[in-house]
């Protein structure tokens, strides 16, 4: 049996790989539970700043719910699964580390919902994305309807959710569903790490404050958001890393951040 989900640490980065290529990295009950465990482990490690979520192989990031397993599930088990999506995958949006979906192939149904739960999305040029659930007599049930509407606006969300159509990466990029598409010939993981190197190597207090401030804009009214930004700025202002950055500029050298 494969490990379902592999975790590799590279300094401040955790690379989390869905590892069921024979099932297009589909989300089985055990995979979702394992993702939850991984989330709890990473959330408890303050040294982790960036989590890259990707899929094994070059065909699929994740083909959504494991439809073979789903066939043998009772309605009650499906209800439990929907609750598990919510409890076990939420860390991708709430843990105090930046999460990025590195989409290496198809991202369909729950696979796209998983990517939507992450803060950012990058994909290889040949990937395709879609929420085909309505064609299966259901709707996205891992937060997809809510997250895609918040990300793209209601009309674009209705288009994708109600038609269930699959789109290519160029369309996904123009809609804002993807943040980046990889130029041909580049390695997905290495490009993702190069793109987000300033996060992985940056001043930890400022990085965390920036992440929390921007995420809060999704839910807080503006005045409260501005108060929160001010509170987070204070954490940076009183940090040794802020003093070090000013000194480094004066001394014309790179700053050495310590996270204090
Ligand atoms: N759950 C479980 N197994 C899946 C799966 C899923 N969601 N998607 C694909 N697989 C399995 C296939 O059954 C097949 O295994 P088998 O040969 O043992 O039967 C294997 O992965 C390869 O899939 P295949 O369809 O032969 O590959 P493909 O390259 O032609 O197509 C997909 C890949 C992902 C486009 C296609 O399999 C597909 O549309 N899957 C369903 C996706 C979906 O509707 N997800 C939303 C669920 S709500």
């Amino acid at each position: 049996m494969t490990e379902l989900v592999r975790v590799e640490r590279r300094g401040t980065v955790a690379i989390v790989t869905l590892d069921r290529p024979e099932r297009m990295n589909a989300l089985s009950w055990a995979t979702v539970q394992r993702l939850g465990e991984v989330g709890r482990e990473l959330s408890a490690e303050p040294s982790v700043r960036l989590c890259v979520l990707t899929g094994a192989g070059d065909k699929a990031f994740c083909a959504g719910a494991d439809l073979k397993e789903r066939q043998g599930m009772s309605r009650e088990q499906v209800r439990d699964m929907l609750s598990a999506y919510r409890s076990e995958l939420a860390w991708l949006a709430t843990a105090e580390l930046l999460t990025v979906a590195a989409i290496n192939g198809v991202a369909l149904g729950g696979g796209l919902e998983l990517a939507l739960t992450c803060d950012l999305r990058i994909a290889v040029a040949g990937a395709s994305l879609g929420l085909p659930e309505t064609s299966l007599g259901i709707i996205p049930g891992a937060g997809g309807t809510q997250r895609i509407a918040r990300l793209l606006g209601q009309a674009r969300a209705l288009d994708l959710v109600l038609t269930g159509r699959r789109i290519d990466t160029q369309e996904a990029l123009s809609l804002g569903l993807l943040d980046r598409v990889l130029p041909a010939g580049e390695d997905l993981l290495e490009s993702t790490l190069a793109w987000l190197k300033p996060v992985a190597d940056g001043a930890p207090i400022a990085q965390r404050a920036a992440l929390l401030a921007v995420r809060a804009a999704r839910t807080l009214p503006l005045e409260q958001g501005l108060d929160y930004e001010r509170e987070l700025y204070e954490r940076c202002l009183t940090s040794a890393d802020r003093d070090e950055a000013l000194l480094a500029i004066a001394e014309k050298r790179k700053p050495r951040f310590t996270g204090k």
Side-chain angles (χ1 to χ4, degrees):
M1 195 179 135
T2 65
E3 223 182 315
L4 305 178
V5 179
R6 276 186 284 119
V7 183
E8 183 199 333
R9 286 288 303 272
R10 284 200 205 173
T12 61
V13 182
I15 300 154
V16 176
T17 307
L18 299 170
D19 195 8
R20 303 178 76 217
E22 71 288 355
R23 291 231 183 157
M24 298 275 161
N25 301 319
L27 295 172
S28 62
W29 172 261
T31 307
V32 171
Q33 298 302 317
R34 176 73 188 122
L35 274 172
E37 257 173 48
V38 168
R40 283 183 283 279
E41 281 162 26
L42 297 182
S43 304
E45 278 188 64
S47 63
V48 183
R49 314 255 202 88
L50 172 65
C51 169
V52 181
L53 177 65
T54 193
D58 56 7
K59 281 195 163 170
F61 169 71
C62 172
D66 185 327
L67 296 175
K68 291 187 179 174
E69 181 185 71
R70 189 60 63 90
Q71 268 194 332
M73 278 178 147
S74 67
R75 286 193 168 80
E76 206 44 45
Q77 284 172 318
V78 175
R79 290 186 188 107
D80 289 345
M81 189 68 166
L82 296 175
S83 301
Y85 288 147
R86 193 157 169 187
S87 63
E88 305 308 296
L89 306 180
W91 65 272
L92 288 164
T94 58
E96 293 190 3
L97 46 98
L98 185 74
T99 57
V100 55
I103 302 173
N104 54 304
V106 294
L108 296 173
L112 181 52
E113 293 180 276
L114 200 55
L116 279 163
T117 311
C118 295
D119 294 301
L120 298 170
R121 283 152 293 280
I122 180 172
V124 295
S128 70
L129 301 89
L131 293 170
E133 284 88 345
T134 51
S135 67
L136 297 166
I138 50 172
I139 63 170
T145 62
Q146 301 307 297
R147 292 201 167 94
I148 202 165
R150 281 166 170 76
L151 188 66
L152 307 187
Q154 207 166 65
R156 288 171 166 179
L158 284 170
D159 168 8
L160 295 180
V161 175
L162 273 67
T163 67
R165 67 191 178 89
R166 275 168 67 169
I167 61 172
D168 63 21
T169 48
Q170 275 318 307
E171 184 175 0
L173 189 65
S174 69
L175 289 173
L177 187 54
L178 290 174
D179 302 296
R180 288 204 169 195
V181 176
L182 208 65
E186 284 191 19
D187 181 85
L188 178 60
L189 187 58
E190 297 313 320
S191 299
T192 305
L193 294 177
W195 169 30
L196 298 172
K197 191 171 162 45
V199 179
D201 295 350
I205 293 171
Q207 283 294 332
R208 186 160 289 133
L211 175 69
L212 296 180
V214 176
R215 276 186 184 163
R218 248 187 342 231
T219 49
L220 291 183
L222 184 60
E223 285 303 317
Q224 277 181 42
L226 293 174
D227 288 344
Y228 189 47
E229 180 187 88
R230 179 64 191 270
E231 186 187 318
L232 290 164
Y233 195 110
E234 193 61 29
R235 287 188 205 170
C236 303
L237 188 59
T238 53
S239 70
D241 281 346
R242 182 253 182 196
D243 298 339
E244 160 63 9
L246 287 176
L247 192 64
I249 288 172
E251 293 176 354
K252 299 187 191 307
R253 60 170 174 82
K254 283 194 170 174
R256 288 181 290 270
F257 294 123
T258 57
K260 293 188 178 123

